[in-house]
Amino acid sequence: MTSNHDPSILSPDRTLPPSNPPSQKTFPFPRDYHFPPYFTRQPTLTTRHAQLQKWSSLILSYCRYHKIWKLSLADAIESDLFWNKKLGKRLSREDAREVLEFMRKEGRSEAVGGKDGSVFWVWWRDPEEWAGLIADWVDDTAQKNTVLTLYELTESEATLSQDFHGMDPDLLQKALSILVKRGKAQVFGQEDQQGVKFF
Amino acid sequence: MSRKGVGLAAFDRSRLTSAQYATHGNNLRTSHSTSLATQLSVFRSLLQQFAQTHAKDIRSNPTFRAEFARMCSAIGVDPLASSSGAGGKDGGGSFWAQLLGGSVNDFYFELAVRVVEVCGATREENGGLIGVKEVRDRIMSTRPEGSAEITDDDILRAVETLKPLGSSYSTLKVGHKTYIRSVPKELNTDQSAVLEAAQVLGYVSVSMLMVNLRWPRARAATAIDDLVSESMLWVDKQCDEYEYWSPGFMLEVQDEGSLG
């Protein structure tokens, strides 16, 4: 707590959080992101809860914006998501993990492969919602009873405008298996050349 | 010597004069009250006329609304005070409700609901103490484009309307800023001083308080710790000395950003 720098309320050399807006092309970070204590674990329980909720919604909108389905903790803490370089503040690995754990309890994230993993699914849409989205698209484009390859579904130009374009293959499997369970789709074929037929 | 009579008749005379004074006084009072009543009814109808002609302006133009409210309070009419208790058979709502068919009143009640929403939604992050400006910004940001502007004055008036509910909503002035307090919590003078200091740069530190307020370390640390435990300050540990930030600053920063 002690320091020998000269603290003064009116000292002019202190930099305030950046006030210039981010350029249009980058993700528009919320106001909280420019608030220095946002990156420090708050000791008061209620404040902490508010903080976790703010982080949760930031991560969800960040991942939605960048179409991130799987968030690697190691990579993320080096990225601007958890590291505000202008402010010189960053979220520690432990704190970031706690946020994701908080999101898991809210049903908005899930560890990929085991509890101790450091890669997380971020459900800005959960598999159920993805399944619904894909089924709706098939419906809208009248492609029921036609066979599509999984590659077509997520990588072809036809789905460019869809949120599930470029979707993580593992997640696609999850979503499709939900549709299969409902009897709305059938997946067949080998590893690399899978196809799907919707009913 | 006294020019008053000294005989017994003096008693009669004085009784007579005081009786005359009393009747005259009564006459004056009645004539005053009737003329006042006339004036009042004329004034009332004029005010009513004015309010009706300008109902739209009152609703949509914040400056106009504030001026109208100021005019009412200058002449001792509290437009928001409910008259339902003392009112006659037609006195169902407040003065404005009677005048404007409820539109202005509703405006403030609706606004009050929004204020309560904002206070509730942010209570965790600010301990139930939020600047009027922040409340206004939050409400404005959720309103559709082009909807009527609201002012700080409107927000304060809306908070006033919550009073009859016996709610814990009140306003509080710290330094140059007015806050809305939505939890029944008193700030002691030290805490107010810290909050005021935090308005300058958005944050305070223990040594800042020691230097600027000439407080001993323990006093500064206690005041800060109290505010932190009330969620009224957030701590930033990623600096030489811990900095304690006012959550209201979160919103202000964003403001500057959106303007720039």
Side-chain angles (χ1 to χ4, degrees):
Chain A
M1 295 275 290
T2 46
S3 75
N4 42 15
H5 78 281
D6 176 35
S8 159
I9 283 183
L10 298 171
S11 74
D13 57 335
R14 287 309 309 248
T15 44
L16 293 177
S19 55
N20 48 327
S23 70
Q24 296 303 312
K25 295 227 172 92
T26 57
F27 172 70
F29 278 100
R31 53 186 83 183
D32 324 310
Y33 184 74
H34 306 289
F35 186 59
Y38 190 47
F39 298 86
T40 296
R41 191 183 196 285
Q42 293 304 308
T44 306
L45 212 61
T46 45
T47 322
R48 176 69 181 149
H49 191 252
Q51 187 186 21
L52 285 169
Q53 257 164 354
K54 283 174 183 298
W55 270 111
S56 170
S57 70
L58 167 59
I59 292 172
L60 289 174
S61 48
Y62 182 90
C63 289
R64 180 191 294 269
Y65 185 87
H66 290 294
K67 288 207 166 188
I68 295 170
W69 283 275
K70 268 181 192 168
L71 192 69
S72 152
L73 209 53
D75 293 344
I77 58 169
E78 300 298 328
S79 75
D80 60 347
L81 173 59
F82 288 135
W83 190 356
N84 186 333
K85 294 197 172 79
K86 267 188 199 160
L87 224 54
K89 312 277 172 194
R90 61 191 301 185
L91 205 64
S92 74
R93 195 188 170 94
E94 299 76 58
D95 289 345
R97 180 180 284 277
E98 204 183 323
V99 173
L100 285 159
E101 179 60 19
F102 174 81
M103 291 172 70
R104 190 185 64 77
K105 284 180 191 146
E106 306 255 293
R108 283 290 155 194
S109 98
E110 199 178 312
V112 176
K115 232 190 155 201
D116 293 322
S118 60
V119 180
F120 292 83
W121 291 111
V122 176
W123 302 138
W124 39 283
R125 281 209 175 85
D126 66 21
E128 287 271 335
E129 290 168 314
W130 284 119
L133 218 60
I134 293 171
D136 286 350
W137 176 78
V138 168
D139 225 6
D140 290 347
T141 50
Q143 298 192 78
K144 279 191 180 179
N145 294 318
T146 50
V147 175
L148 293 161
T149 64
L150 296 203
Y151 181 84
E152 262 182 296
L153 208 51
T154 58
E155 305 298 334
S156 74
E157 280 179 18
T159 62
L160 210 55
S161 62
Q162 300 299 312
D163 265 353
F164 57 81
H165 183 82
M167 188 193 232
D168 184 280
D170 294 341
L171 180 55
L172 181 62
Q173 292 286 355
K174 271 181 190 267
L176 288 180
S177 72
I178 289 172
L179 292 175
V180 169
K181 257 184 220 148
R182 286 188 194 149
K184 283 188 162 179
Q186 193 184 352
V187 181
F188 48 81
Q190 300 298 315
E191 272 293 305
D192 281 346
Q193 298 182 340
Q194 281 187 315
V196 61
K197 189 175 175 185
F198 294 92
F199 310 112
Chain B
M1 286 303 282
S2 166
R3 288 163 59 210
K4 277 186 192 156
V6 288
L8 279 175
F11 291 109
D12 280 342
R13 200 162 44 237
S14 85
R15 213 174 299 139
L16 217 69
T17 14
S18 67
Q20 275 167 352
Y21 276 132
T23 4
H24 191 59
N26 275 338
N27 284 343
L28 277 178
R29 257 201 297 279
T30 17
S31 72
H32 265 163
S33 75
T34 37
S35 85
L36 268 179
T38 327
Q39 278 180 26
L40 198 65
S41 68
V42 168
F43 171 74
R44 233 185 119 86
S45 70
L46 281 176
L47 190 63
Q48 188 161 7
Q49 227 170 36
F50 179 84
Q52 269 160 357
T53 355
H54 298 282
K56 219 180 132 215
D57 291 327
I58 291 174
R59 239 182 110 75
S60 61
N61 183 342
T63 331
F64 196 89
R65 183 164 59 238
E67 284 304 322
F68 183 71
R70 216 158 290 141
M71 183 175 82
C72 284
S73 69
I75 53 182
V77 177
D78 181 2
L80 292 175
S82 171
S83 59
S84 57
K89 48 188 182 290
D90 57 344
S94 78
F95 178 76
W96 277 13
Q98 291 169 15
L99 286 186
L100 304 170
S103 65
V104 167
N105 230 23
D106 288 350
F107 172 84
Y108 284 111
F109 289 155
E110 280 161 30
L111 194 55
V113 171
R114 305 300 318 280
V115 171
V116 171
E117 278 173 5
V118 169
C119 288
T122 58
R123 196 169 293 151
E124 272 200 333
E125 67 182 64
N126 57 30
L129 195 69
I130 186 167
V132 171
K133 200 178 149 301
E134 280 103 283
V135 173
R136 197 199 69 191
D137 290 346
R138 276 194 176 243
I139 292 175
M140 284 311 287
S141 69
T142 57
R143 284 163 77 95
E145 283 286 316
S147 57
E149 178 97 4
I150 43 176
T151 62
D152 290 2
D153 188 68
D154 291 330
I155 304 276
L156 291 175
R157 247 167 251 285
V159 172
E160 280 288 299
T161 65
L162 295 169
K163 270 212 175 122
L165 300 174
S167 67
S168 51
Y169 284 80
S170 58
T171 55
L172 176 77
K173 208 161 161 60
V174 177
H176 62 278
K177 250 183 104 170
T178 310
Y179 292 90
I180 296 168
R181 185 175 51 190
S182 59
V183 289
K185 165 90 174 60
E186 294 296 329
L187 290 176
N188 64 36
T189 43
D190 278 12
Q191 291 168 344
S192 305
V194 173
L195 285 185
E196 194 178 342
Q199 288 168 8
V200 181
L201 287 178
Y203 71 94
V204 290
S205 69
V206 171
S207 47
M208 257 164 72
L209 294 178
M210 288 168 63
V211 168
N212 288 280
L213 299 175
R214 297 177 196 289
W215 283 0
R217 174 172 293 277
R219 185 177 174 189
T222 307
I224 286 179
D225 286 349
D226 284 352
L227 288 168
V228 168
S229 69
E230 297 285 350
S231 300
M232 289 177 189
L233 287 180
W234 288 49
V235 59
D236 175 16
K237 296 182 178 174
Q238 298 177 40
C239 28
D240 293 344
E241 187 191 6
Y242 288 5
E243 285 169 3
Y244 298 88
W245 287 77
S246 160
F249 212 71
M250 244 185 266
L251 300 130
E252 283 165 28
V253 170
Q254 203 260 353
D255 265 7
E256 290 161 21
S258 61
L259 287 174

